[in-house]
Amino acid sequence: MEAIRKKKIKRIGKQVIIDLPDDFKAEEVDAILWPSGEDVENKSTPAEIEVWRKDLKEFYSQFNVDLSQFKFNRDELYDRP
């Protein structure tokens, strides 16, 4: 398997042009594109984060499980007939 990783590629309008080396012989390629780390900014405000945390707590509160009577027995884990 041949693989090439280029860290920084500048886009021109809606096109991305990648120059391949002469010894790269694959006829078809898969491409994965994501924004560079420098371009991505965390735009969440502290108020938005608090709302997000509150929503998570509300969602997961419906999945409460009582484990007070649960006893883990490691020997039963690998018990096979």
Side-chain angles (χ1 to χ4, degrees), residues 20-32:
L20 299 173
D22 294 334
D23 60 341
F24 191 83
K25 303 296 183 196
E27 292 295 320
E28 293 183 358
V29 297
D30 292 329
I32 301 172

Side-chain angles (χ1 to χ4, degrees), residues 6 17 67:
K6 294 197 175 208
I17 300 171
L67 296 176

Side-chain angles (χ1 to χ4, degrees), residues 63-77:
F63 299 107
N64 288 335
V65 177
D66 180 20
L67 296 176
S68 62
Q69 300 298 319
F70 179 74
K71 295 195 182 349
F72 179 74
N73 184 343
R74 187 175 303 274
D75 294 332
E76 291 177 358
L77 178 66

Side-chain angles (χ1 to χ4, degrees), residues 45-59:
T45 64
E48 291 173 331
I49 293 172
E50 284 303 315
V51 169
W52 175 73
R53 287 180 179 162
K54 181 178 170 266
D55 291 344
L56 280 179
K57 285 180 184 177
E58 287 177 9
F59 175 76

